[in-house]
C-alpha cells in the first residue's frame, strides 16, 4: 500500500537532521526543493505567491517553536500563500559557512530574488544576525530581526562573553558585519529587550537611517518564543509586508503581553528582585483579579508580610 502524500500538516517532530530534510523535501517537492549546503546547512524552498519570506532557523529551534517542527514560514505559506525559503542550520553556527555564502552568491547572480515583488528576511538571535547579514544579497529587501548580534568578532564585541566558543570563527570576511549589510535594505526593524544588556548593546550597533529599533521589555532572550506564544509574531510579519508596521502598530500588538503569563511573571520577578513591596502587591492583585495564579498569590502574601515586619504602608488587599 502506497503512503499518503505528505502535506504542510505533516508533523516532522522527533526527526533527526537527515530524516527531517528528507521529509521536508517530500512536502515541498511539487513546488520547491531542499538543497544541502554542505554537511551542516540546508535550504528548503517552496514557491507560491510573489511575496518571499526568507527565514533563518536551526534544527533544534524548529522543535522548540513548533510542535510539528516546521519552519516558521510554513504558517505564512498556509495562511497567506507566501513563498518561503528557510535556511536551516544543524547547530547554532551563525551561518558562517562558505557553502551558505556560495548559495546566496548564486541566488544573487541568477536574479532569484528579482522574481518576487517583495522579499522579507527574518531571524532571531544568531538567526537574526544571519537575516541582516545575508539580506545584502537581495537589495531592496525588508528585514525583521529579533535581538540579533551585530558580529561576534572580539575586536568589535569583546564585551559579549556569551558566545566565546565562536571567537575563532571569522566574522570579518564576506557577509560579515550585519549592520553594514543592511545598507542595501529598503527597511529593517530590530526588536530587542533593553533589560538584556548585551542584546541592547548589539542593537545599538544597528543604528542606521533605514533601521527602526523597538524595545520590548521583560521578554528576555526568549523573545521569539514569547511573541509566538502571544500570537503576535506572524501578525508583525503580515503588517511589515503591508507597509503598516510602525511604532504605534508594534505598541498595539505588544499589548498582548497583558495576558501573557511568562511576561507577567517576568515583571513580578523584577519587582521582587528590586524589593518593591508596594508595587509587588499591586501587580499581584491586578493579575489575581483576572485569573487565579498561585505564584502571584504567594508573592502578594510575602510582600504584605515583609511590609508588616518593617512597618511600611501598603495598598488595601482586596484579593484573598
Amino acid at each position: 500500500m502506497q503512503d499518503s502524500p505528505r502535506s504542510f500538516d505533516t508533523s516532522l517532530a522527533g526527526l533527526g537532521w537527515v530524516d527531517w530534510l528528507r521529509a521536508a523535501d517530500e512536502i515541498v517537492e511539487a513546488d520547491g526543493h531542499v538543497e544541502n549546503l554542505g554537511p551542516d546547512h540546508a535550504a528548503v524552498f517552496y514557491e507560491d505567491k510573489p511575496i518571499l519570506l526568507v527565514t533563518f532557523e536551526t534544527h533544534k529551534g524548529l522543535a522548540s517553536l513548533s510542535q510539528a517542527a516546521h519552519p516558521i514560514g510554513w504558517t505564512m505559506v498556509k495562511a497567506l500563500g507566501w513563498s518561503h525559503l528557510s535556511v536551516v542550520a544543524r547547530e547554532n553556527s551563525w551561518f558562517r559557512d562558505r557553502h551558505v555564502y556560495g548559495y546566496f552568491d548564486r541566488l544573487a547572480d541568477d536574479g532569484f530574488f528579482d522574481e518576487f515583488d517583495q522579499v522579507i528576511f527574518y531571524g532571531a538571535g544568531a538567526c537574526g544576525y544571519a537575516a541582516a547579514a545575508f539580506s545584502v544579497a537581495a537589495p531592496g529587501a525588508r528585514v525583521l530581526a529579533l535581538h540579533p548580534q551585530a558580529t561576534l568578532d572580539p575586536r568589535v564585541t569583546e564585551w559579549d562573553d556569551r558566545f566565546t566558543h565562536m571567537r575563532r570563527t571569522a566574522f570579518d570576511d564576506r557577509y560579515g558585519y550585519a549592520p553594514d549589510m543592511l545598507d542595501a535594505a529598503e527597511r529593517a526593524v530590530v526588536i530587542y529587550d533593553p533589560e538584556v544588556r548585551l542584546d541592547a548593546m548589539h542593537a545599538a550597533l544597528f543604528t542606521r537611517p533605514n533601521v527602526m529599533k523597538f524595545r520590548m521589555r521583560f521578554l528576555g532572550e526568549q523573545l521569539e518564543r514569547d511573541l509566538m506564544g502571544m500570537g503576535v509574531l506572524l501578525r508583525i510579519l503580515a503588517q511589515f509586508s503591508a507597509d503598516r508596521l510602525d511604532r504605534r502598530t508594534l505598541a498595539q500588538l505588544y499589548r498582548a503581553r497583558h495576558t501573557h503569563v511568562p511576561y507577567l511573571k517576568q515583571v513580578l520577578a523584577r519587582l521582587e528582585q528590586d524589593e518593591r513591596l508596594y508595587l509587588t502587591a499591586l501587580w499581584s492583585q491586578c493579575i489575581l483579579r483576572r485569573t487565579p495564579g498561585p505564584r502571584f498569590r504567594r508573592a502578594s502574601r510575602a510582600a504584605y508580610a515583609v511590609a508588616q515586619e518593617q512597618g511600611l504602608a501598603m495598598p488595601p488587599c482586596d484579593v484573598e
Side-chain angles (χ1 to χ4, degrees):
M1 179 172 135
Q2 188 176 12
D3 292 339
S4 60
R6 292 180 179 265
S7 70
F8 284 108
D9 295 321
T10 303
S11 175
L12 306 183
L15 298 180
W17 174 248
V18 174
D19 290 336
W20 187 92
L21 291 177
R22 184 181 299 113
D25 193 28
E26 293 177 9
I27 291 174
V28 303
E29 62 178 348
D31 296 287
H33 62 266
V34 172
E35 180 176 343
N36 289 308
L37 310 178
D40 298 319
H41 300 83
V44 182
F45 174 62
Y46 177 82
E47 185 172 9
D48 198 340
K49 290 183 179 178
I51 296 179
L52 175 66
L53 176 64
V54 183
T55 61
F56 293 81
E57 303 170 76
T58 65
H59 181 238
K60 181 179 179 181
L62 293 169
S64 66
L65 292 175
S66 166
Q67 289 185 344
H70 287 175
I72 187 173
W74 285 8
T75 302
M76 305 306 280
V77 168
K78 292 188 290 184
L80 301 176
W82 287 7
S83 296
H84 180 234
L85 172 62
S86 177
V87 185
V88 187
R90 179 183 285 194
E91 303 289 345
N92 221 353
S93 65
W94 278 257
F95 299 84
R96 305 304 298 160
D97 186 298
R98 62 182 179 85
H99 297 94
V100 181
Y101 307 164
Y103 179 68
F104 277 93
D105 287 344
R106 176 157 48 88
L107 294 182
D109 292 343
D110 293 345
F112 170 78
F113 296 110
D114 297 334
E115 299 175 4
F116 298 92
D117 294 344
Q118 184 183 97
V119 180
I120 300 174
F121 282 72
Y122 166 79
C127 298
Y129 160 82
F134 289 102
S135 69
V136 72
R142 303 175 186 183
V143 181
L144 175 63
L146 309 184
H147 61 93
Q149 289 81 52
T151 177
L152 295 185
D153 186 337
R155 294 170 298 181
V156 181
T157 58
E158 63 182 349
W159 34 263
D160 192 341
D161 57 1
R162 296 173 296 181
F163 315 111
T164 54
H165 63 287
M166 292 294 295
R167 287 188 173 175
R168 291 182 179 273
T169 302
F171 280 82
D172 58 352
D173 55 357
R174 306 185 62 249
Y175 300 104
Y177 187 57
D180 282 351
M181 299 301 102
L182 287 176
D183 287 347
E186 175 192 351
R187 185 173 179 233
V189 176
V190 172
I191 299 175
Y192 66 100
D193 182 347
E195 299 295 324
V196 182
R197 182 175 59 88
L198 296 178
D199 283 350
M201 293 168 72
H202 277 285
L205 297 176
F206 282 90
T207 303
R208 292 289 192 279
N210 62 337
V211 177
M212 181 180 77
K213 294 181 291 184
F214 189 84
R215 311 188 327 163
M216 291 188 172
R217 297 184 68 195
F218 301 119
L219 292 188
E221 295 179 347
Q222 300 299 322
L223 199 153
E224 181 179 42
R225 183 194 63 191
D226 285 328
L227 290 180
M228 287 284 287
M230 288 187 280
V232 166
L233 182 55
L234 301 181
R235 294 170 64 191
I236 290 175
L237 285 167
Q239 296 281 16
F240 200 19
S241 173
D243 291 323
R244 291 198 292 263
L245 191 66
D246 54 19
R247 293 186 182 280
R248 180 177 180 178
T249 300
L250 278 170
Q252 289 173 339
L253 291 171
Y254 191 38
R255 289 175 183 170
R257 71 190 186 279
H258 295 156
T259 56
H260 185 60
V261 173
Y263 166 83
L264 301 176
K265 289 183 176 180
Q266 279 274 73
V267 175
L268 176 63
R270 178 60 179 270
L271 293 174
E272 290 178 320
Q273 177 185 328
D274 294 346
E275 299 181 352
R276 308 288 295 275
L277 300 178
Y278 197 100
L279 289 178
T280 296
L282 284 178
W283 183 257
S284 298
Q285 291 183 64
C286 177
I287 306 306
L288 288 169
R289 290 189 195 103
R290 301 198 305 258
T291 181
R295 172 73 176 87
F296 298 98
R297 194 175 304 280
R298 290 196 302 271
S300 177
R301 289 172 177 170
Y304 278 102
V306 173
Q308 185 175 15
E309 291 176 1
Q310 298 179 1
L312 300 176
M314 292 288 280
C317 181
D318 57 2
V319 177
E320 287 298 327

